[in-house]
């Protein structure tokens, strides 16, 4: 087990390290959290009424003695939906820093790009079930197991990330979520992750600096798409599905800065699916150009509005259409998605009312996520919110979740 | 003719008779308040006290570096210790005279750096009774400043300056400031609302000399309309510590160095 091995290395390293650090350089923090999400329209496919019901303890251990630093964040939880106790290593890494460069080794969360819940050059693993079932935002991001090197010459900064161990995205599962399955009768399914060979090590590079007042980044990624593609053993009479993660390279850029009395963001990326450059393989996505245009503005005291428009353009569309087997759902050439976020802080910023919504002009589906969060004290906060899904078509991203509307509660004591 | 001159000079005297204009006093006051030293570091403890007495704590380290003349550009870096839900959060501001700041926020739980919109300088700073402008300074030319009188406050000779916002969109109508004639620090400020009522009251509660710079180490802002009060105390403060330019970068926003934040 990878997790166990990482745990062991981290704890051995930690032990050696702590023995040389003084008490003031070590800190232990964390939280106790309850997180519950109840169905409001339909019970789960497996009959339950909770998308999530869990109590969780997180411990964050931080030890530093310049130029070294160790950080471990682990969660222990009891999941009432599956009736299981679990231990999760959320992050566990070792840092070394010098003035011109630094390195971070181990499990780490990496967030790139300028999108708000839409991602182009942030190719790192995500947990979308967390987002759809009312978990705190931080659980949308999963750590990667790898090494990050930062290099900081005067003319620009560079992040270079090597990920030898592949982590897929986590999507809602058919036990807790009603969702679209193009081949519900084919239950024999085999998922293959990229083999752990040196040649399959993922590489991600970001170069960034200020250009005319705009935070400007260039991105390169070579690795795998974290959403699996399904290939049937026989397109006419399928009896088995093979799921695998297509080879992907991404070339992109982002810009963010002050403009039009607010913050303007632009991000672009070319998704090069290397196994299907001609577009003729219907079971591997065609190459795409993805774009986000975003704008954020503070309208009055403690009230901000942000809007985004995302597009995903499929290249070699005619080849895709020509080769799509009969009976398969045909994707559009241009997918579009708009988002709106409204945030109002009240009561000395202890009460946060927020509204977030995605709506796809091309698919007509949506998700609406209103939330109220209140800090009862400096240590205790609670949030209540809802996820409401809908759309005319049961095969689209949010339309398929139409029967999964839920109301959620999060309560956390932090120490 | 002589009679007319006497009358005119009597009329004009209250405005022109002081040695310095309101703008000059406010300029010197801002230089003394926001710009002393080449750079500055403080461990700041803010106590937010509700009307019913309930308290919330905000604790941070603030680092500031001046670029060019006093009143010019500044870079500001903040690292939060408390409350627990914002622990390890960092915040960076590039402040420019007479135009909007650039602001960045780092959210450690998801390792994310974001720009945040900054047009609204009258927003509360970290939920306190201080606004962003109270913390980082308001552009001098945004107000008309007039010396209304000179009087002693807390046994210190002061200029009393009336500052009236030129644009009508502020959440106060005018401000009276008691500025110490010796060190030019504000000892008291009264903000009046459009109805002429006292809205907020600022007081400097402790002033200490640090490396030759008179420094307000305790201050209070009380909102007389809501009953909410914020007390700010510097647990430590220092000047001219040679803060490196590179501190004010995404690199250190994401991974602040303990030698600067502690």
């Amino acid at each position: 087990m990878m997790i166990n091995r990482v745990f062991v290395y981290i704890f051995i390293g930690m032990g050696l390290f702590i023995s040389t650090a003084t008490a003031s350089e070590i800190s232990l923090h964390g939280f106790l959290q309850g997180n519950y999400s109840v169905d409001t329209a339909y019970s789960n496919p497996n009959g339950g009424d909770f998308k999530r019901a869990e109590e969780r303890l997180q411990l964050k251990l931080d030890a530093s003695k310049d130029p070294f630093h160790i950080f471990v964040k682990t969660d222990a939880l009891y999941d009432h939906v599956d009736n299981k106790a679990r231990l999760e290593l959320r992050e566990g890494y070792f840092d070394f820093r010098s003035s011109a460069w630094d390195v971070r080794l181990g499990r780490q969360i990496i967030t790139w790009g300028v999108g708000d819940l839409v991602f182009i050059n942030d190719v790192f693993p995500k947990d979308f079930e967390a987002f759809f079932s009312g978990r705190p935002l931080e659980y949308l991001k999963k750590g990667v197991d790898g090494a990050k090197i930062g290099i900081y010459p005067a003319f620009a900064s560079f992040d270079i990330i090597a990920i030898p161990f592949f982590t897929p995205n986590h999507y809602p599962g058919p036990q807790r979520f009603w969702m679209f399955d193009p081949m519900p009768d084919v239950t024999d399914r085999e998922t293959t992750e990229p083999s752990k060979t040196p040649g399959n090590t993922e590489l991600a590079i970001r170069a960034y600096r200020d250009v005319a007042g705009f935070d400007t980044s260039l991105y390169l990624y070579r690795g795998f798409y974290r959403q699996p593609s399904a290939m049937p053993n026989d397109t006419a009479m399928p009896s088995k599905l093979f799921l695998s993660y297509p080879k992907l390279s991404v070339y992109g850029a982002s810009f963010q800065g002050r403009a039009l009395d607010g913050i303007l963001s632009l991000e672009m990326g070319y998704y090069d699916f290397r196994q299907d450059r001609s577009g003729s393989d219907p079971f591997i996505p065609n190459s795409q150009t993805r774009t986000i245009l975003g704008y954020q503005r503070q309208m009055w005291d403690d009230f901000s509005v942000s809007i985004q428009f995302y597009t995903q353009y499929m290249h070699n569309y005619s080849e895709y259409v020509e080769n799509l087997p009969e009976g398969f759902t045909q994707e559009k050439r241009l997918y579009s998605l708009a988002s709106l976020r409204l945030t109002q802080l009240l009561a000395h910023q202890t009460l946060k009312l927020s509204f977030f919504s995605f709506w796809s002009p091309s698919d007509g589906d949506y998700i609406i996520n209103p939330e109220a969060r209140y800090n009862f004290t400096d240590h205790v906060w609670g949030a209540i919110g809802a996820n409401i899904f809908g759309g005319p078509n049961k095969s689209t991203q949010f339309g398929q979740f139409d029967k999964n509307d839920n109301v959620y509660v999060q309560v956390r004591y932090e120490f | 003719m002589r009679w007319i001159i006497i009358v005119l000079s009597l009329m004009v005297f209250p405005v022109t008779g002081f040695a310095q204009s309101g703008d000059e006093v406010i300029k010197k006051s801002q230089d003394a308040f926001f710009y002393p030293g080449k750079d500055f570091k403080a461990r700041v403890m803010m106590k937010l006290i509700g009307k019913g007495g309930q308290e919330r704590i905000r604790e941070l380290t603030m680092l500031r570096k001046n670029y060019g003349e006093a009143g010019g550009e500044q870079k500001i870096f903040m690292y939060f210790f408390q409350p627990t839900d914002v622990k390890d959060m960092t915040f960076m501001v590039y402040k420019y005279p007479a135009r909007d700041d650039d602001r960045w926020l780092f959210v450690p739980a998801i390792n994310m750096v974001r720009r945040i919109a900054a047009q609204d300088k009258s927003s509360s700073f970290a939920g306190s009774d201080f606004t962003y402008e109270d913390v980082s300074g308001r552009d001098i030319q945004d107000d008309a400043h007039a010396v209304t009188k000179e009087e002693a406050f807390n046994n210190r000779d002061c200029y009393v300056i009336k500052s009236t916002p030129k644009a009508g969109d502020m959440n106060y109508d005018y401000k009276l400031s008691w500025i110490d004639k010796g060190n030019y620090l504000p000892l008291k400020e009264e903000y009046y609302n459009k109805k002429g009522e006292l809205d907020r009251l600022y007081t400097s509660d402790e002033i200490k000399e640090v490396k030759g710079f008179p420094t307000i180490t305790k201050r209070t802002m009380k909102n007389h309309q809501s009953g909410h009060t914020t007390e700010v105390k510097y647990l430590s403060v220092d000047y001219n510590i040679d803060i490196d330019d590179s501190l004010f970068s995404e690199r250190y926003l994401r991974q602040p160095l303990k030698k600067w934040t502690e």
Side-chain angles (χ1 to χ4, degrees):
Chain A
M1 276 296 286
M2 184 55 216
I3 286 183
N4 289 340
R5 207 167 39 188
V6 171
F7 262 112
V8 169
Y9 289 146
I10 292 289
F11 286 119
I12 290 173
M14 193 104 206
L16 290 171
F17 186 72
I18 287 171
S19 59
T20 64
T22 61
S24 65
E25 292 158 328
I26 299 168
S27 74
L28 181 67
H29 291 275
F31 58 72
L32 277 167
Q33 175 184 282
N35 190 180
Y36 313 92
S37 166
V38 61
D39 294 315
T40 54
Y42 297 87
S43 294
N44 292 345
N46 69 356
D49 289 311
F50 284 85
K51 295 265 183 270
R52 180 157 293 274
E54 63 164 46
E55 290 86 38
R56 179 179 290 262
L57 166 70
Q58 178 172 96
L59 292 177
K60 288 184 283 192
L61 188 59
D62 195 298
S64 64
K65 194 174 172 68
D66 285 339
F68 304 105
H69 172 228
I70 278 181
F71 181 70
V72 178
K73 179 156 84 178
T74 51
D75 284 17
L77 66 132
Y78 192 84
D79 178 342
H80 295 279
V81 178
D82 290 342
N83 283 318
K84 272 185 191 149
R86 279 203 296 275
L87 198 62
E88 287 173 6
L89 177 64
R90 296 281 306 161
E91 291 187 84
Y93 56 75
F94 166 85
D95 279 329
F96 173 80
R97 294 203 283 209
S98 80
S99 60
W101 61 280
D102 52 36
V103 60
R104 174 169 291 180
L105 290 173
R107 180 166 298 176
Q108 51 191 298
I109 287 171
I110 296 167
T111 301
W112 282 358
V114 297
D116 178 6
L117 300 175
V118 279
F119 308 97
I120 295 176
N121 294 294
D122 186 330
V123 291
F124 307 106
K126 290 164 200 83
D127 182 346
F128 289 101
E129 186 187 10
F131 176 57
F132 294 140
S133 64
R135 300 181 67 189
L137 178 68
E138 65 197 75
Y139 288 96
L140 174 63
K141 296 289 294 186
K142 292 171 75 180
V144 296
D145 295 323
K148 174 184 154 294
I149 296 167
I151 305 170
Y152 309 95
F155 65 97
S157 299
F158 298 86
D159 286 346
I160 301 163
I161 296 157
I163 309 169
F165 308 106
F166 177 78
T167 307
N169 283 347
H170 182 66
Y171 292 95
Q175 303 295 313
R176 300 187 193 193
F177 277 83
W178 296 98
M179 51 201 284
F180 175 69
D181 188 334
M183 295 184 194
D185 301 329
V186 185
T187 52
D188 185 6
R189 296 176 181 201
E190 187 181 316
T191 304
T192 313
E193 288 192 6
S195 57
K196 289 177 176 49
T197 58
N200 277 350
T201 292
E202 298 164 61
L203 190 66
I205 300 172
R206 172 180 173 232
Y208 58 102
R209 61 160 294 156
D210 172 88
V211 177
F214 274 71
D215 302 337
T216 303
S217 298
L218 298 175
Y219 309 87
L220 286 173
Y221 171 73
R222 187 181 169 87
F224 300 89
Y225 197 42
R226 296 183 201 281
Q227 178 176 354
S229 288
M231 167 122 59
N233 56 345
D234 178 351
T235 52
M237 292 282 288
S239 60
K240 183 169 181 179
L241 281 180
F242 296 95
L243 291 108
S244 64
Y245 298 89
K247 289 179 180 166
L248 172 68
S249 295
V250 181
Y251 317 95
S254 70
F255 311 89
Q256 191 171 49
R258 262 183 313 109
L260 310 167
D261 289 330
I263 304 289
L264 195 64
S265 307
L266 175 67
E267 182 170 353
M268 291 165 300
Y270 180 76
Y271 271 54
D272 172 17
F273 285 93
R274 306 196 299 273
Q275 287 153 296
D276 186 25
R277 283 187 168 142
S278 69
S280 56
D281 185 340
F283 302 111
I284 302 283
N286 280 22
S287 294
Q288 305 159 352
T289 298
R290 299 182 174 197
T291 310
I292 303 169
L293 185 62
Y295 177 67
Q296 181 208 339
R297 183 171 180 170
Q298 216 172 38
M299 304 301 286
W300 57 77
D301 281 2
D302 289 332
F303 178 77
S304 64
V305 176
S306 85
I307 50 174
Q308 293 183 115
F309 193 70
Y310 168 85
T311 57
Q312 184 175 312
Y313 177 85
M314 189 195 295
H315 296 280
N316 299 322
Y317 189 71
S318 50
E319 282 80 357
Y320 162 76
V321 174
E322 266 170 41
N323 289 287
L324 190 70
E326 211 157 311
F328 280 68
T329 310
Q330 186 178 325
E331 289 177 38
K332 293 197 171 78
R333 186 198 296 258
L334 184 71
Y335 171 76
S336 57
L337 184 67
S339 81
L340 170 68
R341 181 185 290 282
L342 309 173
T343 309
Q344 172 78 60
L345 301 173
L346 295 164
H348 291 270
Q349 300 180 358
T350 56
L351 176 62
K352 180 178 169 183
L353 301 178
S354 65
F355 173 91
F356 182 81
S357 178
F358 276 129
W359 169 66
S360 167
S362 60
D363 289 354
D365 60 350
Y366 59 85
I367 175 175
I368 298 169
N369 172 219
E371 186 181 280
R373 180 183 144 153
Y374 183 63
N375 284 55
F376 293 96
T377 71
D378 281 345
H379 294 280
V380 178
W381 62 260
I384 181 161
N387 289 303
I388 300 153
F389 306 89
N393 192 327
K394 299 298 167 243
S395 67
T396 59
Q397 191 180 6
F398 305 115
Q400 64 174 325
F401 293 132
D402 198 11
K403 293 168 80 175
N404 295 290
D405 294 355
N406 60 77
V407 168
Y408 61 85
V409 175
Q410 306 157 358
V411 186
R412 188 180 283 188
Y413 166 76
E414 302 205 48
F415 55 86
Chain B
M1 191 62 192
R2 186 179 294 166
W3 179 79
I4 291 173
I5 290 170
I6 290 167
V7 170
L8 274 179
S9 60
L10 279 172
M11 283 167 66
V12 170
F13 184 73
V15 183
T16 58
F18 300 109
Q20 300 188 71
S21 73
D23 278 17
E24 284 167 344
V25 174
I26 289 292
K27 171 80 173 74
K28 285 182 181 169
S29 179
Q30 289 213 346
D31 292 355
F33 195 22
F34 297 112
Y35 288 89
K38 288 186 303 221
D39 55 32
F40 159 87
K41 174 182 176 177
R43 177 86 168 240
V44 181
M45 178 76 96
M46 291 202 300
K47 199 187 278 183
L48 282 57
I49 306 163
K51 200 177 179 179
Q54 68 278 21
E55 292 183 357
R56 293 173 194 262
I57 301 293
R58 307 283 176 265
E59 188 182 355
L60 61 132
T61 288
M62 178 174 166
L63 297 136
R64 189 195 65 210
K65 185 166 181 171
N66 296 341
Y67 289 80
E69 296 286 297
E73 270 187 50
Q74 288 183 318
K75 293 181 180 177
I76 298 162
F77 188 99
M78 294 181 202
Y79 172 87
F80 282 85
F81 293 92
Q82 290 192 72
T84 47
D85 68 333
V86 298
K87 191 188 174 303
D88 298 327
M89 203 175 259
T90 52
F91 181 61
M92 184 167 76
V93 181
Y94 287 8
K95 185 177 147 50
Y96 311 104
R99 68 180 163 104
D100 285 341
D101 302 341
D102 282 317
R103 293 185 198 162
W104 294 264
L105 183 72
F106 169 65
V107 184
I110 47 174
N111 192 11
M112 180 180 76
V113 170
R114 268 300 135 84
R115 277 214 185 218
I116 48 176
Q119 351 7 73
D120 195 349
K121 293 172 176 175
S122 62
S123 278
S124 157
F125 173 73
S128 73
D129 293 287
F130 291 89
T131 65
Y132 276 97
E133 279 186 341
D134 296 334
V135 174
S136 66
R138 178 169 161 85
D139 287 326
I140 291 174
Q141 61 271 31
D142 285 353
D143 302 311
H145 305 281
V147 183
T148 59
K149 57 182 170 182
E150 295 178 17
E151 68 177 26
F153 177 75
N154 281 353
N155 301 320
R156 303 280 299 180
D157 286 336
C158 292
Y159 294 106
V160 181
I161 311 283
K162 182 176 181 180
S163 303
T164 310
K166 290 175 183 168
D169 60 349
M170 288 305 293
N171 51 7
Y172 61 92
D173 196 39
Y174 66 92
K175 175 175 93 168
L176 293 179
S177 310
W178 279 255
I179 311 246
D180 190 317
K181 282 186 173 180
N183 57 29
Y184 284 93
L185 288 176
L187 303 185
K188 181 168 82 156
E189 293 173 342
E190 294 174 347
Y191 294 79
Y192 287 90
N193 65 17
K194 304 250 181 324
K195 290 184 225 158
E197 301 162 338
L198 181 61
D199 186 29
R200 293 191 303 154
L201 172 67
Y202 166 88
T203 50
S204 296
D205 306 323
E206 182 183 88
I207 296 175
K208 283 183 181 167
E209 195 141 311
V210 180
K211 282 193 177 164
F213 300 105
T215 305
I216 301 164
T217 50
K218 276 187 197 171
R219 68 192 71 181
T220 303
M221 183 73 87
K222 182 170 176 63
N223 186 321
H224 279 257
Q225 301 298 313
S226 69
H228 198 279
T229 303
T230 301
E231 293 174 6
V232 177
K233 199 163 121 182
Y234 286 174
L235 302 179
S236 63
V237 56
D238 206 353
Y239 292 96
N240 296 341
I241 51 173
D242 290 325
I243 296 174
D244 201 78
D245 287 338
S246 69
L247 171 78
F248 304 97
S249 65
E250 183 183 323
R251 178 189 186 188
Y252 292 113
L253 202 58
R254 286 181 187 265
Q255 297 185 62
L257 283 173
K258 276 227 158 61
K259 74 166 176 171
W260 294 121
T261 58
E262 290 289 297

